[in-house]
Amino acid sequence: MSNLIPNKNRFLLYSTPEGDVRLEVLVQDETVWLTQQKIADLFGVQRPAITKHLNNVFESGELIEDSVCSKMEHTAKDSKIYQTKFYNLD
């Protein structure tokens, strides 16, 4: 898995006019990168559904995990920094 170049990263925030839903999107070189939880939020499903779908996609050979996944440092709500997998949605 590759690491993205930090100085080329941009984060976009999406929310409803009421501010109810917020989705942070990482954009790097015109490509959108999201965690499994953010993909689940985007599609209105639970994270296990995304995990199952991604596992099926990788096991079937439809996509190669190393080409659509990158581990990056991510600061969580608890202010701790974690290594997190981000997925390319192209």
Side-chain angles (χ1 to χ4, degrees), residues 15-22:
S15 60
T16 64
E18 297 79 24
D20 294 335
V21 176
R22 181 174 160 175

Side-chain angles (χ1 to χ4, degrees), residues 67-83:
S67 67
V68 296
C69 182
S70 181
K71 277 190 180 179
M72 295 181 277
E73 288 187 347
H74 173 69
T75 305
K77 290 180 184 178
D78 62 5
S79 298
K80 292 182 183 177
I81 297 175
Y82 297 93
Q83 286 288 328

Side-chain angles (χ1 to χ4, degrees), residues 3-90:
N3 287 319
L4 297 179
I5 302 168
N7 62 359
K8 292 186 179 182
N9 294 344
R10 295 179 303 160
F11 282 91
L12 302 175
L13 301 176
Y14 292 96
S15 60
T16 64
E18 297 79 24
D20 294 335
V21 176
R22 181 174 160 175
L23 180 67
E24 295 177 22
V25 176
L26 171 62
V27 178
Q28 200 254 337
D29 294 331
E30 298 182 22
T31 300
V32 174
W33 294 87
L34 295 171
T35 63
Q36 286 187 16
Q37 183 59 57
K38 297 297 181 186
I39 295 170
D41 294 344
L42 178 65
F43 290 103
V45 298
Q46 298 297 312
R47 185 175 173 267
I50 299 302
T51 302
K52 181 179 179 179
H53 179 70
L54 287 172
N55 286 336
N56 289 337
V57 167
F58 299 142
E59 286 175 11
S60 73
E62 182 179 342
L63 293 173
I64 299 169
E65 187 172 6
D66 288 348
S67 67
V68 296
C69 182
S70 181
K71 277 190 180 179
M72 295 181 277
E73 288 187 347
H74 173 69
T75 305
K77 290 180 184 178
D78 62 5
S79 298
K80 292 182 183 177
I81 297 175
Y82 297 93
Q83 286 288 328
T84 304
K85 284 185 179 181
F86 282 74
Y87 296 85
N88 173 340
L89 295 180
D90 279 348

